[in-house]
Amino acid sequence: MDFLYDLCGKPFGWIMRLIYELVDNYALAILLFTIITKLILFPISYKQQLNSARMQRINPKLEKLRKKYKDDPKKMQEEQMKLYQEENFNPGASCLPMFLQFFILFGILDVVYKPMSYILRVSGDVISKAFSVVEKINPDLASAGTSLRQELTILNAHHADPGAFTDALGSGLSERMTDFYEKFSLFGINLGQVPTWSPQVWDATAIGLFLIPFMSGVLQLLLTIYTQITQKKRNPAMKNMGCMNVMLYVMPVFSVWFAFQVPAGVGFYWVCSSFFSLLQSVGLNMYFTTERTEKICEKQEAKLAKKYANGKKSFTQRLFAQQSELTEAQQKRQRYAEETKDMSRSELNKYNQQVIKDARKRMAEKYGDTYEGDDVSDDGSGADNSGKK
């Protein structure tokens, strides 16, 4: 898991450090970082929204298929795949943004957990020495500092007793850490601290830390509700997805619980991310009116028709073609097993001979040859005694 955090964190740590050097405040750096990542991901979000709008256009055709093949789910799925292929529509296109959000979340977690590495550029050896000081002066605090939380533990212990770290860090680095700790805050709330349900004192800092997870959960819930309303308008079939809808509403509640387990900087990032995601979703839904969507889709379809006019297949068409081939091969294997399960050895040999003949006939027709039939050895080995012109 540490490897995954490091892999995702390094590129985002470089970006975060650059932003921090410009604004000299960690909370503002997180806010600007969120805006930058939203701008980077905007083309993907735009594509995702367009995909959703295109789904709305083909819904009437899907409804007809559902009614026509309501008693034959397998046939309905095949016809649905054919429709997607004809429309050049990829129903799995929304997976990429979800993966990227997951990647960014790990990066943010690593950056917030390791400000000494990414912002102050302190080496691993020095961090290890500083943590050994924490173990001596405050064993209880050190025991709570996992490998991922060591740097935040050091910052908090250093803030409480800077003099204890002079030998391990040197006066220069100690002063930089003191200065950084003062800027690792939002309205006086230190973003390196973990919110708690029962602080020792309910002062302004404790209340602010307590509210960050709930603000994150409320904004995610608003985003979920808004997304559900708009998607159900576009795709009425989603009204029947009860279990999936319940899970979507459970996630904001889970995020509140999780935000109480991690530094407040992570929860603050979720607050910013959910807020800008909500603004983006409202803006894109206002942009993709029915008339504009129709024009965009017509232009895109004309472009695709021109691009693939020579018989070349798009990625979606190739994907569905491969899936169809796999399905057909699986059906053939099942049919073969069913038809041959009660055959004797002699009957099985004759059956296999006929299968080979039929396959050769199809190949001859495919390549324009004239097929005159062939003889296959009696043992079913498929020895070729064919004659072709």
Side-chain angles (χ1 to χ4, degrees):
M1 186 63 76
D2 287 348
F3 167 75
L4 183 59
Y5 279 113
D6 290 339
L7 178 66
C8 301
K10 286 183 179 178
F12 294 115
W14 182 85
I15 296 173
M16 183 68 82
R17 181 169 181 260
L18 180 63
I19 296 173
Y20 179 81
E21 288 179 350
L22 291 174
V23 300
D24 204 31
N25 181 277
Y26 202 72
L28 184 56
I30 289 178
L31 178 65
L32 293 176
F33 178 83
T34 307
I35 295 173
I36 290 172
T37 54
K38 290 297 178 186
L39 290 174
I40 292 173
L41 294 173
F42 181 77
I44 298 173
S45 300
Y46 177 90
K47 185 79 173 178
Q48 188 179 20
Q49 195 79 13
L50 177 60
N51 221 38
S52 180
R54 290 187 65 204
M55 184 68 185
Q56 187 177 10
R57 291 179 76 233
I58 67 174
N59 264 331
K61 297 179 181 179
L62 285 172
E63 282 300 315
K64 288 181 180 179
L65 291 178
R66 292 188 185 104
K67 291 178 181 178
K68 185 176 181 180
Y69 300 107
K70 62 180 180 179
D71 298 324
D72 190 351
K74 189 174 181 180
K75 182 65 176 177
M76 186 188 74
Q77 187 176 13
E78 291 176 2
E79 294 298 321
Q80 185 173 304
M81 295 292 283
K82 287 180 182 178
L83 177 62
Y84 287 152
Q85 186 174 353
E86 291 169 3
E87 297 287 340
N88 197 36
F89 177 79
N90 184 3
S94 60
C95 296
L96 180 59
M98 293 177 64
F99 172 77
L100 288 174
Q101 288 289 350
F102 182 76
F103 181 83
I104 288 174
L105 175 60
F106 270 96
I108 282 288
L109 280 169
D110 199 54
V111 171
V112 173
Y113 273 128
K114 299 178 179 179
M116 292 179 66
S117 296
Y118 292 119
I119 307 299
L120 299 178
R121 309 295 289 177
V122 180
S123 68
D125 291 340
V126 174
I127 291 171
S128 297
K129 290 179 182 178
F131 190 72
S132 64
V133 175
V134 180
E135 291 176 324
K136 291 178 181 177
I137 64 174
N138 196 334
D140 293 336
L141 183 63
S143 63
T146 61
S147 60
L148 200 59
R149 297 186 184 184
Q150 279 189 3
E151 296 183 22
L152 293 174
T153 303
I154 293 168
L155 280 170
N156 289 325
H158 178 270
H159 177 71
D161 186 7
F165 293 84
T166 303
D167 293 338
L169 302 176
S171 58
L173 178 56
S174 183
E175 290 176 3
R176 286 173 57 206
M177 287 176 60
T178 300
D179 182 62
F180 175 75
Y181 191 89
E182 297 300 324
K183 297 171 183 176
F184 196 73
S185 61
L186 173 69
F187 304 123
I189 302 170
N190 185 271
L191 297 181
Q193 294 182 5
V194 178
T196 177
W197 295 91
S198 54
Q200 294 180 348
V201 179
W202 281 99
D203 54 13
T205 299
I207 294 172
L209 286 171
F210 185 80
L211 289 177
I212 285 176
F214 287 101
M215 290 174 63
S216 170
V218 168
L219 284 169
Q220 287 188 51
L221 182 61
L222 289 175
L223 177 61
T224 299
I225 293 172
Y226 179 77
T227 303
Q228 287 290 288
I229 291 172
T230 54
Q231 286 184 352
K232 285 177 181 178
K233 286 181 179 179
R234 290 197 173 99
N235 186 7
M238 287 191 65
K239 293 179 181 178
N240 301 322
M241 297 171 63
C243 294
M244 182 65 73
N245 291 338
V246 169
M247 282 300 297
L248 289 172
Y249 288 109
V250 167
M251 288 307 294
V253 178
F254 174 77
S255 72
V256 173
W257 174 83
F258 190 69
F260 274 99
Q261 316 302 315
V262 295
V266 178
F268 179 65
Y269 165 73
W270 285 342
V271 170
C272 298
S273 179
S274 298
F275 176 73
F276 288 118
S277 293
L278 183 59
L279 290 181
Q280 179 179 272
S281 295
V282 172
L284 285 173
N285 278 307
M286 292 175 65
Y287 176 79
F288 281 108
T289 61
T290 304
E291 296 78 11
R292 182 175 281 117
T293 300
E294 197 68 31
K295 289 180 180 179
I296 293 173
C297 290
E298 288 176 359
K299 189 180 292 185
Q300 188 178 46
E301 286 167 5
K303 184 179 178 181
L304 289 172
K306 184 178 179 181
K307 183 177 180 180
Y308 301 112
N310 59 353
K312 183 181 177 182
K313 293 182 178 180
S314 66
F315 172 78
T316 303
Q317 290 172 331
R318 293 197 304 270
L319 185 67
F320 286 139
Q322 290 175 0
Q323 190 167 351
S324 297
E325 289 175 4
L326 289 172
T327 302
E328 185 179 353
Q330 185 179 13
Q331 290 173 346
K332 286 182 178 179
R333 286 195 296 270
Q334 291 174 347
R335 192 162 54 246
Y336 178 86
E338 185 66 26
E339 292 175 352
T340 61
K341 64 180 181 179
D342 297 324
M343 288 184 180
S344 65
R345 183 172 181 180
S346 175
E347 291 173 331
L348 182 60
N349 285 341
K350 290 180 180 180
Y351 182 88
N352 288 335
Q353 291 171 23
Q354 187 60 46
V355 170
I356 295 171
K357 287 180 181 180
D358 292 341
R360 286 175 175 169
K361 183 178 180 180
R362 287 194 299 270
M363 290 297 291
E365 291 172 351
K366 181 178 179 180
Y367 293 103
D369 294 335
T370 302
Y371 180 77
E372 294 184 347
D374 57 10
D375 295 323
V376 183
S377 63
D378 291 338
D379 61 359
S381 62
D384 190 1
N385 300 305
S386 62
K388 296 179 185 177
K389 291 184 180 179

